[in-house]
Amino acid sequence: MRTKIVAGNWKMNKTLAEAKALTNEVLNLCISEVKSAVKVILCVPYPFLQSTTEQCEGTTIAVGAQNCSEHESGAYTGEVSAAMLKSIPVPYVILGHSERRQYFREDGPMLAKKVDRALAHQLTPIFCCGEPLEIREKGTHEALVRQQIQEGLFHLSAEAIGKLIIAYEPVWAIGTGKTASTQQAQDMHAVIRKELAAKYGDKVAQSIPILYGGSVKPDNAKELFSCPDVDGGLVGGASLKARDFVDIIKGA
Ligand code: 13P
């Protein structure tokens, strides 16, 4: 039985004061309303990692970053290393989000290095995959997602890949209000799990949480999360409103 996970990805939103207020609101609502054993992760912008970590200390809510460098350390102005995240300590990091792939040209080989850096510092990567609309329309979406998984992760040992969280986020569903149907989500999650099983065996594949992301809202979360291979969600827009985010958590 895999634990359900709901992660919020705040992307590039909020000021420090707003971030503190939102974290507080989420914490209070979770304490009073969330009774089930859902793992909640807040993936906040770098400048808020320290304060969010302090706010969440002693609670069941964990903190994640939205990216890290593929380099260990050195002359990479503006970059943030896995070791820095670990030193806060931040336990999770999103890697390979489609916005990073699209706007910052992050590709398979680079992401494989980022995964290695994160794991070397005992961070749990939330590794994202997902196809753009034109690939879905061409019907090659399963092949592309399998390729993203192979390129980013298949250099890992079975033990290492067992430490990851995977997130399937169809690009056409991100921030568009257009959610994948439960069937579309379940089908792709099953494809990902089958791909993992073919390489690492069924036991490892069954242990890896696969989250769905793309316009997850309070009114569709429960149905999506009830699919057998959907282990929770990676939530963008709706994670910026405490009420909506906590209602999504309750859907898990
Ligand atoms: P939305 O929930 O805003 O569609 O964003 C999804 C996402 O990109 C989470 O990483």
Side-chain angles (χ1 to χ4, degrees):
M1 210 17 207
R2 295 178 295 269
T3 315
K4 291 273 193 255
I5 300 169
V6 176
N9 175 9
W10 290 6
K11 308 193 180 183
M12 197 177 74
N13 290 293
K14 305 287 175 190
T15 62
L16 180 58
E18 290 166 351
K20 285 180 178 173
L22 176 56
T23 301
N24 234 342
E25 231 185 309
V26 171
L27 280 170
N28 288 335
L29 286 172
C30 277
I31 289 165
S32 57
E33 297 181 13
V34 178
K35 303 293 170 219
S36 53
V38 183
K39 175 106 222 116
V40 178
I41 307 168
L42 298 180
C43 299
V44 306
Y46 291 138
F48 313 151
L49 286 170
Q50 174 84 43
S51 62
T52 311
T53 298
E54 283 164 9
Q55 284 178 281
C56 293
E57 213 182 319
T59 75
T60 55
I61 298 183
V63 179
Q66 299 171 12
N67 184 27
C68 76
S69 172
E70 69 273 34
H71 303 290
E72 180 57 28
S73 66
Y76 301 101
T77 302
E79 287 291 273
V80 170
S81 72
M84 292 172 187
L85 297 178
K86 184 65 188 174
S87 72
I88 290 180
V90 166
Y92 294 92
V93 59
I94 296 174
L95 294 175
H97 192 281
S98 62
E99 287 148 19
R100 301 289 323 168
R101 292 178 188 263
Q102 189 181 347
Y103 306 138
F104 302 95
R105 297 199 193 84
E106 295 192 1
D107 59 9
M110 183 197 280
L111 291 170
K113 286 188 203 158
K114 290 190 181 217
V115 168
D116 287 345
R117 298 283 29 94
L119 287 174
H121 293 281
Q122 297 85 45
L123 298 173
T124 300
I126 303 173
F127 181 86
C128 300
C129 56
E131 80 287 358
L133 183 62
E134 61 274 19
I135 298 289
R136 168 70 59 168
E137 284 172 343
K138 254 204 307 190
T140 53
H141 45 290
E142 291 184 1
L144 178 77
V145 169
R146 286 207 312 270
Q147 187 190 338
Q148 289 172 334
I149 297 283
Q150 289 163 9
E151 286 181 353
L153 304 179
F154 274 15
H155 63 292
L156 296 173
S157 68
E159 196 201 338
I161 201 164
K163 296 183 174 141
L164 255 75
I165 297 170
I166 292 175
Y168 168 59
E169 300 202 308
V171 179
W172 46 271
I174 296 178
T176 57
K178 202 173 167 212
T179 317
S181 67
T182 47
Q183 192 62 55
Q184 285 171 323
Q186 168 55 30
D187 286 352
M188 186 62 92
H189 284 228
V191 165
I192 295 168
R193 211 176 292 286
K194 201 168 147 210
E195 188 67 18
L196 294 168
K199 169 93 175 163
Y200 295 101
D202 208 43
K203 191 156 173 256
V204 172
Q206 288 300 332
S207 74
I208 298 176
I210 307 177
L211 314 184
Y212 168 80
S215 298
V216 176
K217 302 278 182 272
D219 61 3
N220 59 26
K222 197 169 179 185
E223 204 188 342
L224 282 162
F225 299 166
S226 66
C227 297
D229 284 297
V230 178
D231 303 311
L234 181 54
V235 185
S239 73
L240 298 171
K241 292 193 190 114
R243 180 71 271 163
D244 285 358
F245 187 56
V246 174
D247 283 345
I248 289 169
I249 296 167
K250 285 157 85 178

